[in-house]
Each structure stands twice: as structure tokens, then as C-alpha cells.
Amino acid sequence: MVNLSQRKSTSALQKARVGSTIVLAGWVEKSKHLGKLAFINLRDREGYAQIVANEKFLGLKSLKDLTRESVVAVKGKVKTSKAKSGGKELELVELDVLNRAAVPLPIEFLGGKVETDMSKRLDYRYLDLRNPRVFAIFKVRSVMLNAIHKFFRDNEFLEMQTSKISEAGAEGGAELFELPYFKKKVALNQSQQLYKQLIMISGFEKAYEIGTSYRAEKSHTHRHLTEFWQLDVEMSFLDGIKDIMSVQERLIVSVLRAVKKEAKSELELLKVNLNVPKLPFPKINHSDACKLLGLKQGTDIGTEAERKLGAIVKRKYKTDAFFLINLPENLTKFYAMHDDGIGRYVDLIYKNNEISSGGQREHRYDILINQIRNKKLKPKDLEFYTTPFKYGAPPHGGFGMGIDRLLTFILDLPNVREGVLFPRDVERTGP
Ligand code: ATP
Ligand code: MG
């Protein structure tokens, strides 16, 4: 039996001393028989290793039955490879088949090819993820998330964890998923909006969370899911939206720098040339954006207009990232702070797509109630939101950023589903 406690990775093989004995374990990407020799291409999450079995290896014949994608543990002697690619290989001494894979495989991904259509790939996501090109996306995701946590820790934000179940959506509406809950009905949260504001009233001052949000988005777009991961950030005692933008642009720059440095080989594999935008990011007023796009003032800038605006800004400022700020009142929510009919809003557009929305919230109770009335809503229905503002709410604001979207546009992925392990949309609820 090969001793798994001695297991090393395929990248450790390259650093191992020639002549030493090491143990590797992983998946058989393929195997080949040439007379008295057999070659196994073993894959683990670090990469590949070539295993050579010669006539000294007693189980040589049995290797013919080794199916692709079976899991094996091997013990062998480190040798210098004769192949053109150089490096080291393992001369097989002992082999354990830990799990034999059935034939044929339901999807094909030999040599990192991504040929099967997305829907079938997602049906067999556990196999699809064995493809190093697919797996690399999730290594980048992990590096990206670590960098986000590091940024907020370094800047003295507290990590918060809020509930995803509530009696009423902070923003209400048709996009709510309702579910039975004992004798009541509850909804899955569309955002952390309410909770992060409550925490500011509690005195957290600076807080962030990475959690899921749920929206019954009926659309089939490249950038919408029904369950997505959102970075929520909220800060107290801010001096207008410039403080929100300053945090976001520094966050983006530090995350992109970390990805460039720590996921270099993954970016190469995915053929992504990542540029880090310069600070500060350009700021475009909503009214100026409408002029640039030839739209009527007060038009909601949607996906198509964002794309056009992104192209205009790229030509003018040579950057992939900019802020779209200051919304006219017809487009604002009741909870936003306003200056003479202009809402203190900030959207971050990166690679022609919205990746975050935020702004400063109205913290003054009486003005809040007036805004609710002006929006033709009933203050009574929103008491769950407004009551806490009676008892000492600091000025505050923040933003919500789509984690899956950020990854999608960092890696120029064609679809947000590529960067989510088990995506959920109108049709897909499994595996
Ligand atoms: P869009 O206009 O693109 O539908 P939104 O303005 O409705 O987005 P917000 O409520 O502003 O979305 O949410 C903040 C961020 O969360 C968005 O900028 C986006 O990055 C992300 N996000 C929102 N909805 C989804 C979704 N259905 N799937 C994936 N990410 C989403
Ligand atoms: Mg938005």
C-alpha cells in the first residue's frame, strides 16, 4: 500500500532530488503503452507529472486496464525526464488504484479543452472543474477573495455576518423569493442593505461582509444569477460619496495587483493580460453621461448604455474603471441622501459593466419620512426600516459589489456562470 501520509504535490516533484523516492496521488489524465514501457500522465491541483513504468514494475500489464480519470496513488523514484520539455519524472515502484473511473466519461476535457456546451458542463460540474483551465478560474477567485479580506482588515473594517432571511425585503418588489417558514412567509434577502445600515446605527463605524443575495431575476443574461455573492461595505461619519469612491478604487487596485502577482500562472493559462487602472478613477456625472450618450436627462443607464459609456470613457481616459455618480431623483430610492434633487449615488463601471452600486444614505428621520412620502410609499409600511433612525443614526453610506461579476470582468469571461461553482438561474437549481 502506498502511504498517503507521505504524499507530495506534482510541483514538489520538480523540486525533489534525483534518485529520491516520493509519493504522488491524483487523477490519470491519460496513460499510454509502448512495448515494455507505460506512461501515466498524473494530474493534481498543482499540475501534471509524468510517471514511467518499465519492465521492473511488476504490475506493468495491469496498467492496460487503468481508465482515464481514475484516482491513483503512486510511489516512485525521481528521474530526470528525457522528454523535450525537461523537468523531472517518476519511475514507478508501486501503484494503488484508489478509485477506478467508469468508461466513457460523460464530458470530455482532455488537454484543457472546453468543448462541451455550458449547460452540460454544469450538469457534470464536478468533472468540468477537473479541467485545469476551469479550475484556474477558481484559484483566481480564491486569490481575489483573500485580497478583499486583507484590504478590509488592513483598513480596520469589522467583518459582519447578517441573516439572509427576513420578513420584508428592504427594497421590496417582484424579484423577491418567498418561502414558507413555519406559520409565516419569509423572503430571501435581495441585498444586505437594511442590515448593514442597522449595524452603522449600532456603532460598528466600518463594516464589510461577503455573502449571498437572492433575486428572482427572470432574465437570461451573461451577468445575472438568482443567487450571487456580494461584497457589502458600509461606513459611518463619511464626508459625502468621495469617501465611498476612495475605498472602492483602492480596493480594486489592491485586488488586481494581488491577482496579477499571486495568480500569475493562472492568468497565463487563461490568456488574460490584466491592466491595473490608475488612481483616481474618472468620475462621470449622470447628467454628463446622458449628454455623452445622447440620452434624455434622467434616463436609467442600463446594460447597453453602460457598454457604450465604457467605450467612450476608455477612449477619453484610457481606463477600464470609472464611477458614474449623482443620480436624478426620478431614479433614486427613498433611502438615498439628496442635494437639491440629486441623489448621492455611485456606480462603479469596470470593463463596460456595472460591478457595484452605492451611495450615502439619508440618516435624518424627518427627511427620510418626507422622502418616503415623495416616492408615494407609505411610512407605516417601512417602519421596520425607519424606526431605528429615531435613536441616533450617524451619517453613513457604502456600496454593494458583485463578487461574481468582478471575477467575470477581471478574467474577461463570457458569462458570470463560468466563475461560480454551482450557479443558480431561472432553469438551473442543481447540482
Ligand atoms: P443590474 O442593473 O446589473 O441588474 P443592479 O443595479 O440591479 O444590477 P444592485 O442592486 O446595484 O444591482 O447590486 C449591486 C451589485 O451586485 C451589482 O452592481 C452587481 O455587481 C451585483 N448584482 C446585482 N444583481 C446581480 C445578479 N442577479 N447576479 C449577479 N450579480 C448581481
Ligand atoms: Mg446597481
Side-chain angles (χ1 to χ4, degrees):
M1 286 284 275
V2 178
N3 187 349
L4 279 180
S5 68
Q6 292 170 357
R7 182 192 176 224
K8 297 276 188 297
S9 68
T10 53
S11 55
L13 167 65
Q14 295 311 320
K15 292 181 205 125
R17 193 168 41 81
V18 172
S20 63
T21 300
I22 73 165
V23 169
L24 300 177
W27 287 260
V28 177
E29 171 111 348
K30 59 181 182 203
S31 63
K32 192 166 66 180
H33 272 256
L34 287 176
K36 285 181 179 155
L37 287 178
F39 299 90
I40 299 170
N41 202 2
L42 182 92
R43 189 189 67 242
D44 66 12
R45 70 173 210 183
E46 304 286 314
Y48 295 98
Q50 163 110 310
I51 318 287
V52 185
N54 55 30
E55 64 267 50
K56 278 191 266 168
F57 178 68
L58 298 173
L60 193 60
K61 262 197 202 138
S62 71
L63 292 185
K64 283 203 167 132
D65 298 329
L66 198 55
T67 54
R68 281 186 46 220
E69 294 304 320
S70 292
V71 179
V72 296
V74 295
K75 188 166 147 189
K77 234 184 182 171
V78 180
K79 296 235 151 142
T80 306
S81 170
K82 289 195 191 84
K84 257 196 249 131
S85 51
K88 289 173 189 150
E89 60 184 28
L90 211 61
E91 184 190 301
L92 192 57
V93 175
E94 205 179 331
L95 175 132
D96 278 347
V97 179
L98 302 177
N99 190 292
R100 190 176 184 278
V103 193
L105 295 166
I107 59 166
E108 200 41 81
F109 47 88
L110 186 61
K113 284 202 189 97
V114 185
E115 280 173 350
T116 315
D117 73 72
M118 176 113 220
S119 167
K120 193 157 181 206
R121 280 175 48 211
L122 290 176
D123 288 342
Y124 296 98
R125 190 60 151 170
Y126 52 95
L127 290 178
D128 182 47
L129 287 160
R130 289 189 196 171
N131 186 334
R133 258 184 247 278
V134 178
F135 186 52
I137 296 172
F138 293 90
K139 284 202 198 160
V140 176
R141 188 174 170 118
S142 184
V143 168
M144 181 185 90
L145 283 164
N146 276 326
I148 295 173
H149 283 296
K150 181 170 187 321
F151 177 87
F152 286 108
R153 281 178 199 143
D154 288 352
N155 285 282
E156 281 118 32
F157 281 74
L158 294 177
E159 187 170 354
M160 56 176 168
Q161 258 124 24
T162 58
S163 173
K164 303 297 163 251
I165 296 172
S166 61
E167 291 180 358
E171 298 169 56
E175 289 180 353
L176 224 49
F177 281 115
E178 288 192 320
L179 47 130
Y181 190 86
F182 307 107
K183 287 180 181 154
K184 306 195 266 209
K185 236 191 194 151
V186 295
L188 295 176
N189 288 345
Q190 292 172 291
S191 75
Q192 272 57 262
Q193 186 68 33
L194 170 65
Y195 300 100
K196 60 184 180 175
Q197 290 194 251
L198 290 181
I199 275 176
M200 291 303 112
I201 293 172
S202 308
F204 272 56
E205 299 194 16
K206 288 159 100 181
Y208 81 103
E209 168 170 349
I210 295 170
T212 47
S213 288
Y214 298 88
R215 295 187 192 176
E217 309 262 15
K218 282 210 195 73
S219 49
H220 296 79
T221 77
H222 72 293
R223 63 180 211 183
H224 288 99
L225 295 170
T226 50
E227 177 186 58
F228 63 98
W229 274 261
Q230 203 166 28
L231 162 67
D232 264 289
V233 178
E234 203 71 11
M235 298 171 278
S236 293
F237 304 111
L238 40 68
D239 184 21
I241 56 172
K242 67 173 178 21
D243 291 347
I244 301 169
M245 291 191 276
S246 158
V247 168
Q248 285 200 76
E249 60 190 8
R250 285 183 293 122
L251 168 72
I252 294 294
V253 166
S254 61
V255 168
L256 294 185
R257 280 201 188 126
V259 168
K260 253 185 112 108
K261 191 167 153 219
E262 292 163 41
K264 205 161 173 265
S265 58
E266 285 74 26
L267 291 180
E268 271 163 27
L269 182 65
L270 295 165
K271 298 194 174 69
V272 174
N273 179 21
L274 191 59
N275 291 313
V276 179
K278 285 203 182 65
L279 289 172
F281 296 176
K283 290 146 189 95
I284 317 281
N285 263 304
H286 187 274
S287 58
D288 294 330
C290 288
K291 275 186 218 146
L292 285 168
L293 293 164
L295 297 170
K296 221 172 87 200
Q297 286 299 320
T299 309
D300 192 4
I301 294 181
T303 311
E304 206 32 60
E306 271 164 26
R307 212 191 312 274
K308 280 192 195 147
L309 188 61
I312 295 170
V313 172
K314 179 133 191 167
R315 249 178 278 136
K316 202 166 160 196
Y317 297 96
K318 315 265 174 289
T319 181
D320 285 324
F322 67 95
F323 294 110
L324 179 62
I325 62 170
N326 295 339
L327 284 194
E329 208 160 9
N330 64 304
L331 298 176
T332 65
K333 299 251 168 72
F334 71 84
Y335 54 71
M337 184 177 274
H338 295 79
D339 306 294
D340 302 324
I342 300 292
R344 293 192 181 181
Y345 268 80
V346 193
D347 269 14
L348 174 57
I349 316 282
Y350 176 57
K351 299 214 183 141
N352 302 341
N353 283 276
E354 177 193 316
I355 58 163
S356 87
S357 280
Q360 183 163 359
R361 335 292 182 188
E362 182 52 71
H363 62 284
R364 295 159 296 184
Y365 183 79
D366 296 339
I367 300 177
L368 190 58
I369 298 293
N370 272 340
Q371 291 193 167
I372 290 172
R373 289 210 181 92
N374 292 345
K375 293 271 174 203
K376 307 270 178 290
L377 299 165
K378 292 193 194 98
K380 186 105 190 84
D381 296 345
L382 288 166
E383 268 173 5
F384 71 92
Y385 179 89
T386 57
T387 304
F389 287 81
K390 286 181 179 171
Y391 305 108
H396 64 280
F399 62 91
M401 184 179 287
I403 291 291
D404 318 304
R405 270 203 207 171
L406 177 60
L407 180 69
T408 302
F409 301 119
I410 286 179
L411 294 180
D412 302 318
L413 302 174
N415 193 310
V416 70
R417 290 160 183 77
E418 293 281 356
V420 176
L421 279 178
F422 302 106
R424 296 290 178 253
D425 59 28
V426 181
E427 270 88 38
R428 182 164 293 279
T429 45

